[in-house]
Amino acid sequence: MRNAAVSVAVFALAVAAPAAAQPRDSGGFEMRSVERLELDDAEVSLVPDPAVNLYLRAQTRLGTPVEHLRPVDLAISEDGRPIDPKSVTLTLLGESNRGMACVLALDVSRTMQGEALDQAKAGALAFLDRLGAPDRIAILSFGGKVEVVAPFSAARSDARVRLSTLEIDSSSMRTLLYDGMYRAVELVRQGGELPRRAFVVLLSDSQDGGSVHKLDEAVALAQGDGTRAQIPVFTIGYANFGRGGLEALQRLSKETGGDFVEAANPGQMAAFYDNILSQMTKSYVARFTPELDGKTHRIEVSAGGLKQARAVPYPLYRRPLWPVASLGAGVALGVGLLTWIVLRRRPAGRLVFVAGPRAGEGIALRPGRIRIGSLPDNDLAIPSSTVSRYHAEIHVSGRRVSIEDLRSSNGTQVNGTAIQMSPLRPGDRIKIADIDLVFER
């Protein structure tokens, strides 16, 4: 973790720095050295298969993400026992479809009047517009009071309107900085079904005045423990009228694995927001299969001579053993189980293009979610100017299939009717903007 503020000059170099990998003569990539390593979280998941998921960030000296990491570039151990890199998968968070949850906390005290708040809102709006479909956002303001401007449950479009119309709190001269910090982290802790990867971005130009909560309480809530993830808090300080509050921002970021940056002028705020988002989308999820024995294990990750570790409690998990009374019963059970597996793996149907150059082309609908949109990272990519980046999503559960519109620009129709969410039956005609498909089984 960084022990000091990131200077504006160094940050400018970080923004201008080239990608964190350089081509070799062989056409591959040469990884730049890892000079900062953060293991923000480690969790055990049981679905679809038991696995330990490690959420980590690797950065260069200038703070740019190290891209193109491979499992062999990391050394992962469990209680000192090395994990074979061949058994580890390593994925960029932005490519994992796991999503992330973020709280944007903005100081709206009187000292932020004018260009400072305008630029803070502009940077936050640009940040919001770059989020992907699986991401979740909440917005909080603090001045003389702390207010949740948009909860995680708010539609993205509503959150944008509320953020753009945010105004200075002229009712008080106080700035409840620590209460704002605490409430921002609390929103994540109480968020319910949010993506596991979560963080806070907090911008302020003031020192605390009158908060109920202490700085230590906000830090402790963000740090988490063995059962709760650490929530990195990224802070942006703008010393408009003195530097009294900057120390608190620095400490909060340092002790939670985030970064502190100081804006010399309001015009730099948008670039800071952009850099924070880049850090998180280009962070990694490392995954390996453990032996779930009900004990707590020390998981260590090292790269570039740096080490990070977390204690991870494993649940006790044993695969069910089917009792076999006799050889005949065992054979019957095996046949039945094999039949169930075959049926379970069979697609629930398929989507078929009706017209155009892809007419007759289809995609099998297997259990889970199939996202449709114009960007290539969608499960079904339709590169058309009329199709939104993340336009719609197919939900498959057993033989049940439904479609959800992801607040697209040109809408989604089923049998000629615009929908937000609709079940699908064989023969239903689906229109994604102006692209026609049919659901077959």
Side-chain angles (χ1 to χ4, degrees):
M1 292 181 235
R2 291 179 181 169
N3 297 324
V6 177
S7 71
V8 173
V10 170
F11 183 82
L13 286 172
V15 172
Q22 295 177 333
R24 291 177 178 157
D25 293 338
S26 62
F29 290 93
E30 180 180 354
M31 186 189 74
R32 287 195 173 188
S33 60
V34 177
E35 299 192 41
R36 181 189 179 193
L37 181 67
E38 292 286 351
L39 177 57
D40 295 317
D41 187 20
E43 61 150 348
V44 176
S45 60
L46 300 178
V47 178
D49 298 300
V52 173
N53 303 298
L54 307 176
Y55 297 85
L56 57 96
R57 286 175 287 148
Q59 296 176 325
T60 67
R61 176 177 57 85
L62 295 178
T64 56
V66 176
E67 300 182 62
H68 307 292
L69 275 180
R70 305 160 299 170
V72 72
D73 298 319
L74 301 174
I76 302 176
S77 65
E78 178 189 68
D79 297 328
R81 296 185 298 273
I83 302 296
D84 186 353
K86 294 179 181 178
S87 68
V88 176
T89 62
L90 191 63
T91 310
L92 285 172
L93 181 68
E95 298 175 0
S96 70
N97 206 33
R98 291 170 176 262
M100 54 190 178
C102 174
V103 178
L104 297 180
L106 277 75
D107 185 342
V108 294
S109 60
R110 290 187 179 187
T111 53
M112 287 287 291
Q113 184 82 45
E115 186 185 8
L117 182 60
D118 291 342
Q119 291 291 343
K121 291 196 297 183
L125 285 166
F127 180 101
L128 187 150
D129 289 341
R130 285 188 58 201
L131 295 178
D135 301 329
R136 303 284 296 280
I137 187 79
I139 300 165
L140 177 142
S141 66
F142 59 93
K145 60 181 180 295
V146 177
E147 181 179 2
V148 178
V149 177
F152 282 113
S153 58
R156 190 80 58 84
S157 57
D158 291 342
R160 196 181 199 289
V161 170
R162 297 178 195 181
L163 174 59
S164 62
T165 56
L166 197 60
E167 296 181 346
I168 289 293
D169 177 10
S170 58
S171 64
S172 173
M173 292 297 293
R174 300 187 305 167
T175 302
L176 304 182
L177 176 60
Y178 300 160
D179 285 351
M181 292 176 177
Y182 190 92
R183 182 65 178 129
V185 177
E186 190 177 52
L187 280 175
V188 177
R189 295 287 185 216
Q190 298 176 349
E193 295 298 320
L194 295 176
R196 178 80 181 195
R197 194 59 153 133
F199 61 103
V200 171
V201 183
L202 184 145
L203 183 148
S204 179
D205 75 336
S206 303
Q207 59 186 356
D208 182 75
S211 285
V212 173
H213 293 287
K214 306 294 185 185
L215 177 58
D216 287 345
E217 293 177 293
V219 169
L221 188 64
Q223 286 177 329
D225 51 36
T227 60
R228 299 190 303 178
Q230 174 175 272
I231 300 173
V233 181
F234 297 86
T235 56
I236 302 172
Y238 174 51
N240 194 18
F241 295 101
R243 304 171 59 85
L246 299 189
E247 272 191 23
L249 299 181
Q250 290 174 1
R251 183 186 162 200
L252 181 64
S253 292
K254 174 184 174 183
E255 297 191 20
T256 63
D259 279 336
F260 165 81
V261 289
E262 181 180 350
N265 62 74
Q268 295 175 331
M269 294 177 182
F272 293 161
Y273 276 109
D274 189 68
N275 184 59
I276 293 166
L277 185 59
S278 177
Q279 271 201 50
M280 298 308 291
T281 56
K282 293 179 180 178
S283 63
Y284 290 91
V285 183
R287 181 179 173 92
F288 67 89
T289 302
E291 186 68 36
L292 299 181
D293 54 8
K295 300 178 181 179
T296 296
H297 296 271
R298 176 182 168 85
I299 306 299
E300 184 177 275
V301 180
S302 62
L306 304 173
K307 295 182 180 180
Q308 288 279 293
R310 292 186 78 86
V312 184
Y314 288 6
L316 183 60
Y317 178 84
R318 293 191 177 93
R319 300 185 183 276
L321 298 176
W322 299 95
V324 181
S326 65
L327 179 60
V331 171
L333 181 63
V335 171
L337 183 59
L338 180 60
T339 302
W340 176 81
I341 290 173
V342 171
L343 290 174
R344 185 171 179 265
R345 291 183 177 178
R346 189 172 66 185
R350 66 180 193 142
L351 287 184
V352 180
F353 286 87
V354 174
R358 299 176 70 175
E361 179 182 337
I363 178 173
L365 303 181
R366 301 192 182 278
R369 299 186 177 196
I370 298 97
R371 195 172 63 197
I372 304 170
S374 61
L375 294 183
D377 63 344
N378 287 283
D379 302 296
L380 176 55
I382 305 177
S384 168
S385 60
T386 62
V387 176
S388 296
R389 296 182 304 167
Y390 302 106
H391 194 107
E393 198 166 64
I394 302 289
H395 303 264
V396 181
S397 178
R399 302 292 283 172
R400 294 191 301 274
V401 182
S402 61
I403 185 168
E404 178 186 6
D405 183 79
L406 299 177
R407 300 184 183 88
S408 62
S409 298
N410 293 317
T412 302
Q413 296 182 21
V414 175
N415 297 326
T417 301
I419 60 96
Q420 180 60 44
M421 172 78 81
S422 174
L424 291 178
R425 298 173 181 84
D428 282 349
R429 295 182 73 88
I430 302 160
K431 185 179 282 289
I432 304 293
D434 60 353
I435 308 298
D436 291 312
L437 304 102
V438 64
F439 172 54
E440 296 181 350
R441 180 168 286 166

